[in-house]
Amino acid sequence: MDNNRNLFLAIALSFIVLLGWQYFVAGPRMEAEQARQEQLDAQQATQTETSKHADTAPTPGTSTAPATTAGAVPLSPQDALSQSARVEIDTPKLSGSLNLTGARLDDLHLREYRETLDADSPTITLLSPSGAKQPYYAEFGWVSGSGDIALPTANTVWTAPENAKLTLDKPLVLKWDNGAGLTFVRTISVDNDYLFTIDQKVENNTDADVALYPYGLISRHGTIKTTGIYILHEGLIGVAGDAGLQEVDYKDLAEEKLVQPDKSSAGWVGITDKYWATAVIPPQGQSFQPSFRYNEIAGKPAYQSDYLGDVVSVAAGSSADYKTALFAGAKEVATLNAVESKTNALNFDLMIDWGWFYFLTKPMFWAIDHLYGLVGNFGIAILLITVTVKAIFFPLASKSYASMAKMKLLQPKMEEIKKNFGDDKQAQQQAIMKLYQEEKVNPLAGCLPIAIQIPVFFSLYKVLYTTIEMRHAPFFGWIQDLSAPDPTNLFTLFGLVPWDHPAFLAIGIWPIIMGITMFVQMKLNPTPPDPTQKMIFTWMPIMFTFMLARMPAGLVIYWAWNNSLSIIQQATIMKKHGTKIEIWQNIKDTFKRSKATSK
């Protein structure tokens, strides 16, 4: 019995430590970091930029250098866009424009996603131009391998057909002549999976062969706000062949300046947020050098993911082309899989942070997503997946609950053993273990339901927190976003008495339901003989109520539903074994002990 209780207690305390760390340590740290970042943003907004294009991040190689002209403080998005000629981008999922100066993709909005649940909320802005508060753009070009050759740079103005527009069925063709015999033609197309294809062609009309190195980069400037949650990577990311997944935090890159995996012929590099990402994908099967770089421009940090391809030789009087791809959009699982299929990009699905336990997280998402396809509600899908998990582990859980029922029947005999042996703990343990053997009871069986539930809990937490499919996914009633905490609050009488309360007092209806079901379930179990254990198990539902209150509502709903199913299952098994169900009596005893303790 004591072994059973100790193991159960160890698991529960470990769980409390993990949740407590997130709630009381990681959460406040995240808020402090966000406040610090906002302060830095305010300071940086007052600094003078040295050039309209001075925030151009360095490209792979050494041949590209930005021009410098006097500039001012960061511009509004509209003013920044008006600084150069542009070509409109218009697809069902994307809106924005391409900058003819540098042929940059630097203005992109996601039509299907908004900043908040409000229907009038602005759409998500993914890419922003130079001159804006936080430039974020993709750029492609060439680095010379044949000496001093005039090549297109970030300041080059490309020509486009009159009234050009980039759409799903109409690619954009850009041209630039260097005036010395080389003509550069860039054809850009886009599909409905946020995937741009950039075909760079070089026509060599000179008498000499030319050697060029192709590159692609994604650059992001300013202090980047992240969620600051340890279970989620936000920052620079990529896959580099045998080196595998590369995850580089903004802070780490600022210290190291350059992170450069070995050359590879398979992979990609990019920058990821929680729900959105960009990535340049070089031709798979051709060697390239991936890099992650940090620089400071006009006092602002600049983060860059880039690759430099192997040399492309363009013989005199001939032409050569190089095709690469850019993903810039929402990290939808189906979309990432489609991009990987189209480009053969190695492990592109790792753009989503599935975590160390991906072998649980990915199947969990797959199951929930398929159930959603049948019922049309992610909340219902979570309830159904809980029933499915319960069904899978039903035989194991049934044995566990049966063992607990038998142990409850043995409590009078155990109390008698304790009286007979007094303070001789060793003799007590030997007598209790002998009783277990005679009655064929496994003292560790009661821990199995908790042991099973914890990995399911964390895999569901990961799915709810990281996958965009759960973002703004409604359930019923007041739960309009399963990935966000329950918006109701007991301590404001659910909105009737608004006041500026501490964050830890934000306890919604679903966390309260979860706490009640957990409390009832514990009262079905045998009463712990140790006073300390009794106290811990009495207060545990309250602690869990506070700690889970700020977690995604979908997770709390799962926990409450799982507790309810466990109560039904455990009560049925106890009744089958002739064990008296004394929930209300146990609750009364708990309150009696609390009153006695307070006196």
Side-chain angles (χ1 to χ4, degrees):
M1 182 69 171
D2 286 341
N3 289 337
N4 180 20
R5 289 296 173 192
N6 289 338
L7 181 56
F8 182 88
L9 186 61
I11 294 173
L13 289 176
S14 299
F15 196 44
I16 289 172
V17 168
L18 288 172
L19 292 176
W21 172 265
Q22 175 63 37
Y23 190 82
F24 294 108
V25 179
R29 283 183 181 177
M30 178 186 68
E31 294 176 359
E33 177 64 18
Q34 288 177 342
R36 186 186 70 83
Q37 290 176 347
E38 289 175 0
Q39 183 179 6
L40 287 175
D41 284 344
Q43 293 172 352
Q44 291 168 0
T46 63
Q47 294 179 350
T48 300
E49 295 184 353
T50 58
S51 168
K52 173 182 171 182
H53 294 290
D55 57 1
T56 301
T59 59
T62 58
S63 68
T64 301
T68 57
T69 56
V73 297
L75 304 172
S76 68
Q78 295 77 13
D79 290 341
L81 292 173
S82 67
Q83 299 299 303
S84 58
R86 294 183 166 272
V87 173
E88 182 182 359
I89 299 172
D90 185 13
T91 78
K93 292 186 176 182
L94 296 171
S95 65
S97 61
L98 178 141
N99 192 345
L100 288 178
T101 301
R104 281 181 176 175
L105 284 160
D106 63 356
D107 173 35
L108 208 58
H109 306 265
L110 309 184
R111 292 184 185 273
E112 296 184 338
Y113 296 96
R114 297 188 178 275
E115 293 180 1
T116 68
L117 285 168
D118 189 345
D120 296 327
S121 174
T123 57
I124 294 296
T125 298
L126 183 61
L127 301 181
S128 299
S130 293
K133 183 178 180 181
Q134 288 189 318
Y136 187 11
Y137 53 82
E139 181 180 305
F140 302 88
W142 302 93
V143 174
S144 175
S146 303
D148 189 13
I149 299 176
L151 298 174
T153 71
N155 301 306
T156 298
V157 179
W158 294 69
T159 59
E162 188 176 357
N163 299 321
K165 178 189 289 190
L166 178 57
T167 65
L168 292 182
D169 55 1
K170 189 176 181 180
L172 172 65
V173 180
L174 305 177
K175 291 185 179 181
W176 181 72
D177 192 323
N178 77 343
L182 292 180
T183 301
F184 297 84
V185 181
R186 188 171 298 179
T187 303
I188 303 173
S189 59
V190 62
D191 67 13
N192 217 28
D193 289 318
Y194 308 109
L195 184 65
F196 294 84
T197 301
I198 296 91
D199 189 352
Q200 300 186 83
K201 184 178 181 181
V202 181
E203 298 173 354
N204 184 3
N205 298 312
T206 69
D207 296 330
D209 296 347
V210 174
L212 301 175
Y213 293 86
Y215 75 83
L217 66 83
I218 294 171
S219 187
R220 192 175 196 178
H221 304 180
T223 302
I224 314 303
K225 295 180 181 178
T226 65
T227 57
I229 302 297
Y230 68 95
I231 69 164
L232 176 70
H233 171 69
E234 294 175 272
L236 293 89
I237 190 172
V239 169
D242 294 337
L245 179 65
Q246 307 291 308
E247 294 180 328
V248 184
D249 294 336
Y250 293 115
K251 181 180 178 181
D252 293 341
L253 187 60
E255 294 176 355
E256 297 186 40
K257 309 303 182 186
L258 175 65
V259 175
Q260 196 167 67
D262 292 338
K263 292 185 70 173
S264 174
S265 59
W268 47 274
V269 292
I271 297 177
T272 182
D273 294 325
K274 180 178 180 179
Y275 293 125
W276 336 107
T278 54
V280 286
I281 308 170
Q284 303 297 284
Q286 299 183 30
S287 180
F288 64 90
Q289 174 62 65
S291 302
F292 305 100
R293 308 172 190 271
Y294 173 83
N295 198 358
E296 288 189 7
I297 301 171
K300 283 186 176 182
Y303 307 91
Q304 178 173 304
S305 293
D306 62 57
Y307 77 86
L308 185 66
D310 276 352
V311 65
V312 174
S313 297
V314 190
S318 67
S319 63
D321 67 319
Y322 184 86
K323 186 178 292 186
T324 189
L326 166 73
F327 171 82
K331 298 195 298 185
E332 304 157 345
V333 174
T335 298
L336 298 182
N337 290 338
V339 170
E340 181 170 338
S341 177
K342 291 175 183 178
T343 63
N344 293 319
L346 179 65
N347 294 334
F348 200 68
D349 63 321
L350 295 182
M351 182 68 78
I352 296 176
D353 188 356
W354 295 110
W356 291 347
F357 300 102
Y358 63 91
F359 52 87
L360 290 176
T361 310
K362 293 184 72 173
M364 175 66 74
F365 171 82
W366 181 89
I368 293 176
D369 191 51
H370 277 68
L371 287 172
Y372 168 76
L374 296 175
V375 300
N377 185 296
F378 274 112
I380 296 296
I382 290 172
L383 300 185
L384 291 176
I385 198 67
T386 308
V387 174
T388 303
V389 171
K390 279 287 185 184
I392 292 173
F393 292 105
F394 180 81
L396 194 61
S398 294
K399 290 182 179 180
S400 172
Y401 291 136
S403 180
M404 291 174 70
K406 291 180 181 179
M407 289 179 66
K408 195 164 187 178
L409 289 173
L410 293 178
Q411 277 195 303
K413 294 184 179 180
M414 294 175 64
E415 291 297 331
E416 184 178 347
I417 289 174
K418 289 183 179 181
K419 290 180 182 178
N420 292 338
F421 290 97
D423 295 331
D424 191 345
K425 298 295 184 181
Q426 184 174 359
Q428 281 186 23
Q429 288 291 328
Q430 291 175 350
I432 289 174
M433 292 306 297
K434 183 178 180 182
L435 180 63
Y436 289 158
Q437 293 174 357
E438 291 174 352
E439 299 293 337
K440 297 181 179 179
V441 173
N442 180 3
L444 300 180
C447 297
L448 289 175
I450 295 293
I452 292 170
Q453 189 172 334
I454 287 177
V456 175
F457 175 89
F458 280 112
S459 61
L460 181 59
Y461 180 29
K462 191 77 171 178
V463 168
L464 282 166
Y465 194 80
T466 61
T467 58
I468 194 171
E469 286 79 359
M470 301 296 169
R471 180 181 185 265
H472 293 176
F475 184 45
F476 293 109
W478 64 93
I479 302 297
Q480 294 300 307
D481 186 356
L482 288 166
S483 68
D486 187 325
T488 59
N489 189 353
L490 170 66
F491 291 94
T492 63
L493 295 181
F494 307 109
L496 294 177
V497 186
W499 62 289
D500 189 15
H501 57 80
F504 73 91
L505 289 181
I507 309 296
I509 295 174
W510 271 107
I512 293 172
I513 295 173
M514 185 280 303
I516 292 172
T517 58
M518 188 175 186
F519 181 74
V520 172
Q521 184 185 9
M522 287 193 165
K523 292 308 170 185
L524 281 173
N525 298 331
T527 304
D530 181 69
T532 303
Q533 291 181 356
K534 285 181 182 179
M535 181 188 68
I536 290 175
F537 284 113
T538 297
W539 284 95
M540 191 178 296
I542 299 175
M543 296 172 63
F544 271 62
T545 298
F546 276 87
M547 288 189 293
L548 267 66
R550 306 317 301 157
M551 289 195 172
L555 195 67
V556 182
I557 292 170
Y558 155 78
W559 193 274
W561 177 236
N562 184 77
N563 288 345
S564 301
L565 295 177
S566 297
I567 290 169
I568 296 171
Q569 183 180 2
Q570 188 172 351
T572 302
I573 293 173
M574 289 175 68
K575 187 175 181 180
K576 179 180 177 182
H577 286 81
T579 304
K580 188 176 180 181
I581 301 174
E582 300 174 322
I583 296 178
W584 301 117
Q585 185 59 47
N586 289 341
I587 293 174
K588 289 179 182 178
D589 292 343
T590 299
F591 284 110
K592 287 180 180 178
R593 286 195 298 268
S594 298
K595 290 180 179 179
T597 303
S598 62
K599 291 179 180 178

